[in-house]
Amino acid sequence: MSAQRLTGSLAPHARRLAGARIAELVAADPGRASELALRVGPLYANFSRQRVDRDALGALLRLADDAALPQAFRALFEGERINRSEDRPALHVALRSDLGGSDTTRQARAQAVDAHARMAAMLQALADSDVTDLVNVGIGGSDLGPRLVVDALKDAHSGRFRVHFLTNVDGSDAQHTLRGLDPARTAAILVSKSFGTQETLLNGTILRDWLGGGERLYAVSANVPKAEAFGVDAARILPMWDWVGGRYSLWSTVGFAIAAAVGMDDFRALLAGAAEIDGHVLEAPPARNLAMLHALSAVWNRNALGLPTQAVLPYDERLALLPAYLQQLVMESLGKSVTPTGDAAGLDTVPALWGGAGTNSQHSFFQALHQGTQTVPADFIGVVNPDHGYADNHAALLSNLLAQTEALANGHAAEDPQKAYPGNRPSTLLLLDALTPHSLGALIALYEHSVYAQSVLWGINAFDQWGVELGKRIAGELLPAVKGEGVEVSDPVTRALLDEIAARRRSGA
């Protein structure tokens, strides 16, 4: 779809609704609160507090038709080479469901099933050993997804292993992660598709030396020879594939740490939750398609209302890492300014995504959400049934969740301008019946599919990430200079900074 077509079709509705207020839209449309809501399995979404009316929603749905969103999803599931810059499919859906009928999809699904079986056997062997702790060594998609799920499902942990995550190249991370662990009772899993990721190899070296060799080293990688050369026995190396991007990989053997924490049954329940959303996305028309409606709301806020940021606000402490996970999923996938043909996108794409867990965040940045000069659309996420017995606490949590969405939408007039709330701040409310492996899988898959739908509407590639490469290359070139090896540095500011670092560096640092 052309940028002109998208913006041109939405602009009249944006002008028409420029003075509209969410509270008035709700009052004028008695069925809005229920009809602009949708349930899929354990996941409920309510879009009635988006700043959009039925006519504008109709325009958005016509965009979905013009962009052939249903056909784009079928292309994804059938393994077409939709990642055009790298000329390959994006088949993370084959890790959890068998909804595609092509040979490409069936082969990918068979490989995933086999890899999961091998992972289960390795974990059983570990469970039969004296190992009590597992350290996941990875960064980006090799860390954020597994870390989110392990933290979110802490109430489902089997208790057999304590699972730790080592990601940052900062040596303090390794020092603090390993403190208190026994190398004789610890195993490590090194997760890197290329097995060339600087941070993972440096931290992996620390783990290998600390463990006294590679006997309890495991790896997930597409580069088996490099993993073997590092000291990992081939029998302890699980596969990755070029048709799975890192930020979409937690469903694969990258989920080794997840399965270690919650057990294979709950890991498979996580996959089943994602598969339920997969089936819904393929079958439901855009007007009743949860991922497409979520994506269309995001496009409306970004391109019709011109809102440059997006907040994600989970009202469950177990989902506190969700905003960080979504920063990679959304901003790495949609942080593009050109189309796959190299032409300018011609419109604003990715919003800056941020957020935090309620109710803590109410006492920090919610002041800006309510009375700041910029409107920030938000996704609020709540859990109806907790996994604890503190009923009063949970009632307070849910009342705060509902109150914040109401206050942001409706505002509050006051004679003193400093005490007035302008309101008219759009939000979507997502509710999980309970936070289980199944519902968490569904929630994550919803965001994955929303991101893909946005990329189709904007005409960009959601599955490459060339923007992260330049900094890596320059860092590699600067490393000898930082080590004081006398390498010439051309950039004058970097030269001055290196001189300052050298002058202040302690001996032996």
Side-chain angles (χ1 to χ4, degrees), residues 271-293:
L271 303 185
E276 182 171 13
I277 297 298
D278 293 344
H280 164 77
V281 165
L282 275 183
E283 295 165 5
R288 301 302 295 168
N289 191 302
L290 184 52
M292 293 184 194
L293 289 172

Side-chain angles (χ1 to χ4, degrees), residues 34-52:
S34 58
E35 292 171 17
L36 296 188
L38 185 62
R39 170 170 290 280
V40 181
L43 187 57
Y44 167 89
N46 193 303
F47 298 97
S48 61
R49 284 186 171 134
Q50 290 293 333
R51 203 191 307 169
V52 62

